[in-house]
Amino acid sequence: MSRVIVLTALAFSLSTVSAKAQVAVPSSQQPDHFRDTSMLVPPAGAKVAIVEWEDLECPACAHAFPFVHMAVDHYKIPYVRYDFLIPGHIWSREAAIYARYLQDKVSPELATQYRREVFASQFKFASKDDLNRFTQQFFTKNGKQLPFVIDPTGQLAREVEKDVALGNKLGLTETPTLVVVTAKGWIQVKDVSDLYQAIDQAQASVGGAPAEHHKTTK
């Protein structure tokens, strides 16, 4: 009986770890605050936006994905997404390039759908070959032809690396890094359940919708 209890506790512990943010450097080296925050502003013409860095192999990003997109739909605000590749993840770079191909060459909507389905299928991927088979099936299912060479000039990879460089400039150390931004300031959302409160708070600060009473995020 005691062995069953121990195994159950171990399984719970592992599931808890998988829901945490994916860390790019040891926690002892993580900065207490961002460095250069000049990129934490909404797109031109917008008062409030959500900015996120994500890694497609990150379980915490998969957990956050539906909540973030529900918030975007609910508030009708811009969403600015960047890639941030976690060292040691074996297929996230290839997945980011596939997603970037869909975004640049096909449609942003299909790229978002690809990301959604990759997140939902993370547990199926033990190798790059698994990801490649999934991607081929995704293209076929959606009536698209997967190119034999997805990035012949390296342009897509450079776009992904540009996102990573921007995250490094910010001082980013984990994914997802989720920030609600206005022209006046920003709120980092460490727990996705606090996202709506952060948006309410941001909108109130720029004369938008009144803030609601939720748990404090900052």
Side-chain angles (χ1 to χ4, degrees):
M1 182 66 178
S2 61
R3 184 181 180 189
V4 172
I5 294 173
V6 169
L7 290 174
T8 302
L10 177 59
F12 176 79
S13 174
L14 289 174
S15 65
T16 302
V17 169
S18 69
K20 293 182 179 178
Q22 299 291 287
V23 179
V25 295
S27 58
S28 60
Q29 298 178 27
Q30 291 183 37
D32 294 329
H33 52 79
F34 292 146
R35 295 197 293 266
D36 182 347
T37 60
S38 59
M39 73 287 293
L40 296 182
V41 293
K47 290 186 176 182
V48 178
I50 298 173
V51 178
E52 182 180 23
W53 276 264
E54 67 182 17
D55 179 289
L56 283 163
E57 200 170 340
C58 164
C61 295
H63 172 74
F65 184 93
F67 296 98
V68 171
H69 287 267
M70 282 190 291
V72 170
D73 290 342
H74 178 76
Y75 286 94
K76 309 301 181 188
I77 58 177
Y79 169 63
V80 182
R81 186 209 53 75
Y82 298 107
D83 289 300
F84 193 78
L85 305 178
I86 299 297
H89 282 184
I90 60 176
W91 51 259
S92 63
R93 177 184 173 85
E94 284 72 16
I97 291 172
Y98 284 134
R100 192 62 60 103
Y101 171 85
L102 288 166
Q103 180 176 319
D104 292 357
K105 308 295 185 181
V106 183
S107 79
E109 293 77 17
L110 194 58
T112 297
Q113 182 61 28
Y114 176 77
R115 289 177 177 275
R116 179 180 290 107
E117 294 190 22
V118 168
F119 281 137
S121 302
Q122 282 178 342
F123 68 98
K124 300 177 182 178
F125 305 150
S127 67
K128 293 179 184 179
D129 287 341
D130 292 336
L131 172 74
N132 294 338
R133 283 190 291 271
F134 167 88
T135 302
Q136 178 66 70
Q137 292 168 1
F138 178 89
F139 271 70
T140 300
K141 179 178 68 176
N142 287 280
K144 306 298 179 184
Q145 179 66 43
L146 179 64
F148 182 70
V149 179
I150 195 75
D151 188 20
T153 67
Q155 178 60 35
L156 302 176
R158 286 191 293 271
E159 290 178 12
V160 172
E161 291 300 333
K162 185 177 179 180
D163 283 4
V164 174
L166 195 64
N168 287 330
K169 183 179 179 182
L170 176 64
L172 189 154
T173 59
E174 64 183 16
T175 56
T177 292
L178 187 62
V179 189
V180 176
V181 300
T182 73
K184 295 182 178 180
W186 52 268
I187 304 168
Q188 184 182 9
V189 180
K190 299 290 286 184
D191 185 333
V192 73
S193 66
D194 294 329
L195 180 57
Y196 276 48
Q197 180 203 5
I199 298 171
D200 290 339
Q201 193 175 321
Q203 287 185 329
S205 75
V206 293
E212 297 178 1
H213 297 288
H214 300 292
K215 188 171 61 176
T216 301
T217 58
K218 188 182 178 186

